């Protein structure tokens, strides 16, 4: 997995409108990729500011990254599957292309698994869009004024802050997270890397608040949330 003779081109993406919801900023993506590669460094890094639902026509940085992969015989590396695409047909075309793609959150996943995950991600995105449109239509039908430019951004930020605070309190009260955090403090003090801490939690039987194995991105969030230095 960590061969130094393998070349990588890193691709990072944030959404213009939804980047605040993901909790996975550019620095977090860089750290996840670097912890996956360990001593190896990407030969190029491309940052896209674009919605994940757009196709390749709206993804110029992705085109450049793929071009560099072909030029240098490198692999495209992405921190998380949904950082590349939520559109199934778009992802399918990429997976069938001549460029090998590595997803840090699913390094061993085959193409069939990635297709399934992309389908679920696309379905969730479409479901959110449909519900948002229905909610706006219902408000408009009740005579509510929509999209007041003077207050819309403030309300948007307030809603995000409340949601983050609610999620934080739920996470702090969850016994699974408490046990995992206690172990992370020990591992961080031992100088373990993000990937090593994730592997240790999973090997020792720790699970997330939802009862699943930990991913690197989830461990990163816990470390930041509890201000654990590593």
């Amino acid at each position: 997995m960590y061969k130094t003779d393998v070349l990588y081109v890193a691709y990072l993406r944030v959404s213009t409108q939804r980047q605040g919801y993901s909790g996975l900023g550019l620095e977090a993506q860089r750290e996840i990729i670097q912890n996956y590669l360990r001593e190896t460094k990407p030969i190029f890094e491309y940052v896209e500011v674009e919605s994940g639902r757009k196709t390749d026509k709206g993804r110029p940085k992705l085109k450049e990254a793929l071009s560099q992969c072909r030029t240098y015989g490198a692999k495209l590396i992405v921190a998380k599957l949904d950082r590349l695409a939520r559109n199934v047909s778009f992802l399918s075309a990429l997976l069938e292309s001549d460029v090998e793609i590595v997803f840090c959150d699913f390094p061993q996943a085959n193409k069939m698994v990635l297709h399934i995950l992309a389908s679920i991600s696309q379905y969730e995105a479409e479901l959110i869009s449909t519900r948002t449109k229905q909610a706006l239509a219902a408000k408009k039908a009740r005579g509510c004024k929509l999209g007041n430019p003077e207050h819309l951004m403030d309300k948007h930020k307030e809603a995000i802050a409340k949601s983050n605070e609610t999620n934080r309190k739920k996470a702090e009260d969850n016994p699974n997270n408490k046990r995992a955090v206690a172990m992370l403090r020990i591992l961080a003090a031992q100088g373990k890397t993000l990937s090593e801490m994730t592997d240790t939690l999973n090997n020792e039987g720790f699970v997330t608040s939802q009862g699943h194995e930990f991913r690197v991105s989830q461990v990163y969030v816990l470390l930041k949330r509890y201000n654990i230095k590593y």
Side-chain angles (χ1 to χ4, degrees):
M1 183 186 298
Y2 302 106
K3 294 180 180 179
T4 56
D5 58 340
V6 178
L7 301 178
Y8 295 91
V9 173
Y11 177 74
L12 297 78
R13 184 186 64 80
V14 291
S15 171
T16 53
Q17 296 179 350
R18 296 176 59 83
Q19 58 186 12
Y21 288 102
S22 68
L24 193 65
L26 290 178
E27 288 305 317
Q29 291 180 59
R30 286 192 183 100
E31 185 157 0
I32 289 172
I33 290 173
Q34 196 53 60
N35 276 285
Y36 178 89
L37 295 178
R38 295 187 179 179
E39 291 84 6
T40 304
K41 300 286 185 181
I43 58 174
F44 296 102
E45 178 188 285
Y46 290 90
V47 177
E48 194 93 73
V49 181
E50 184 55 273
S51 169
R53 299 178 65 191
K54 296 290 182 67
T55 62
D56 60 333
K57 293 181 180 179
R59 309 284 285 277
K61 295 301 180 182
L62 178 57
K63 282 186 175 181
E64 290 180 34
L66 292 171
S67 177
Q68 294 285 32
C69 286
R70 296 185 181 99
T71 299
Y72 291 90
K75 296 181 181 180
L76 185 73
I77 186 166
V78 186
K80 200 166 179 280
L81 177 62
D82 64 7
R83 293 300 86 195
L84 184 60
R86 285 186 171 183
N87 182 284
V88 177
S89 59
F90 176 44
L91 180 62
S92 297
L94 287 175
L95 293 175
E96 297 300 332
S97 72
D98 56 341
V99 175
E100 185 174 347
I101 305 173
V102 176
F103 299 96
C104 296
D105 56 340
F106 289 101
Q108 305 301 329
N110 57 34
K111 290 184 178 180
M112 182 184 71
V113 172
L114 292 172
H115 282 301
I116 293 173
L117 292 172
S119 298
I120 294 173
S121 184
Q122 178 176 324
Y123 171 75
E124 290 176 342
E126 292 172 350
L127 193 62
I128 291 172
S129 176
T130 299
R131 287 176 176 172
T132 300
K133 290 177 181 178
Q134 290 175 343
L136 291 174
K139 286 185 177 181
K140 188 174 182 180
R142 293 196 299 268
C144 297
K145 292 184 178 180
L146 303 178
N148 187 330
E150 185 177 352
H151 305 294
L152 184 58
M153 186 55 67
D154 290 338
K155 291 181 178 179
H156 177 67
K157 292 180 179 178
E158 183 181 348
I160 292 175
K162 288 182 178 179
S163 177
N164 289 340
E165 179 64 17
T166 299
N167 290 335
R168 185 186 65 80
K169 289 182 179 179
K170 287 182 179 178
E172 289 179 349
D173 293 336
N174 188 278
N176 288 339
N177 278 352
K178 288 182 179 179
R179 288 191 289 269
V181 168
M183 175 59 76
L184 287 176
R185 293 188 190 280
I186 296 173
L187 296 174
Q190 294 175 349
K192 301 293 185 182
T193 66
L194 198 58
S195 296
E196 288 172 337
M197 286 188 275
T198 304
D199 291 340
T200 299
L201 288 180
N202 291 331
N203 292 336
E204 294 296 327
F206 287 85
V207 294
T208 68
S209 58
Q210 302 299 319
H212 304 302
E213 284 194 345
F214 279 93
R215 297 198 299 267
V216 171
S217 58
Q218 292 170 314
V219 172
Y220 175 83
V221 169
L222 283 178
L223 291 171
K224 290 299 183 182
R225 178 179 294 153
Y226 291 92
N227 197 28
I228 301 174
K229 305 297 183 181
Y230 67 100

